[in-house]
């Protein structure tokens, strides 16, 4: 028996696909993945805050393999620093940043302050943020702003803190 696994099914020739039995694996729900990661941290005798673990779950987008890879990086950093890995440290390790920077950028864009918006963007870029993360967060905030306008603040499930939510309004 031969097992062929890929994340790029489109690139596999039809002649190969026609001779294979196909199993599409689905992403794991966030709460289950979080419990799984907590158990691994406990077994490894690591010390990572729940907020940092939630960040790992969010970045991995339900992929167990990706979450384990990120958790390994987090555990190594935690061991090297010899203290609990908190959210701020995890954000630095994974190239995440405070969304309030994006909210400020959007305010500048909506106010038509082009030069200040470009300077703000340059500042965000200088933090070393992964472009994919920047775009995802930017689109997420736009989506959030649209939904606040339509549905109101209380109807939205979103990962901004209360302070950041008030900044948008």
């Amino acid at each position: 028996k031969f097992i062929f696994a890929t994340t790029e099914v489109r690139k596999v020739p039809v002649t190969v696909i026609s001779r294979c039995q196909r199993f599409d694996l689905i992403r794991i729900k966030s709460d289950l993945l979080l419990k799984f990661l907590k158990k691994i941290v406990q077994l490894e005798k690591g010390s990572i805050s729940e907020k940092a673990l939630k960040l790992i779950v969010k970045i991995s987008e339900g992929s167990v393999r990706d979450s384990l890879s990120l958790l390994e990086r987090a555990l190594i950093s935690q061991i090297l620093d010899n203290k609990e890995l908190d959210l701020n440290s995890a954000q630095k390790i994974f190239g995440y940043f405070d969304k309030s920077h994006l909210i400020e950028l959007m305010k500048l864009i909506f106010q038509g302050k082009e030069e200040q918006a470009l300077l703000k963007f340059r500042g965000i870029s200088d933090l070393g943020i992964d472009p994919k993360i920047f775009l995802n967060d930017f689109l997420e905030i736009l989506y959030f702003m649209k939904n606040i306008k339509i549905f109101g603040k209380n109807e939205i499930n979103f990962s901004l803190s209360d302070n950041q939510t008030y900044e948008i309004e």
Side-chain angles (χ1 to χ4, degrees), residues 120-138:
K120 185 66 180 174
F121 175 73
R122 172 70 63 180
I124 292 171
S125 177
D126 289 346
L127 293 172
I129 305 305
D130 180 1
K132 179 185 170 196
I133 293 170
F134 172 80
L135 286 174
N136 281 341
D137 285 352
F138 189 82

Side-chain angles (χ1 to χ4, degrees), residues 67-84:
S67 66
L68 289 173
S69 175
L70 294 169
L71 181 63
E72 182 179 25
R73 283 176 52 194
L75 283 169
I76 289 170
S77 294
Q78 182 263 313
I79 290 168
L80 291 174
D81 292 343
N82 202 21
K83 63 177 183 173
E84 181 182 61

Side-chain angles (χ1 to χ4, degrees), residues 33-34 36-42 44 46-49 52-53 56-57 60 64-78 85 94:
L33 193 54
L34 182 63
F36 179 68
L37 294 179
K38 283 181 181 178
K39 185 176 180 181
I40 291 173
V41 169
Q42 188 178 35
E44 293 291 328
S47 180
I48 300 177
S49 73
L53 287 174
I56 291 172
V57 169
S60 65
V64 176
R65 180 184 64 189
D66 291 348
S67 66
L68 289 173
S69 175
L70 294 169
L71 181 63
E72 182 179 25
R73 283 176 52 194
L75 283 169
I76 289 170
S77 294
Q78 182 263 313
L85 184 77
F94 303 126

Side-chain angles (χ1 to χ4, degrees), residues 96-117:
Y96 256 73
F97 65 105
D98 186 2
K99 290 181 182 173
S100 64
H101 294 292
L102 274 177
I103 294 168
E104 291 173 28
L105 175 63
M106 286 191 180
K107 281 182 180 179
L108 293 171
I109 291 170
F110 291 143
Q111 293 170 355
K113 298 178 179 177
E114 296 173 28
E115 189 173 326
Q116 290 174 322

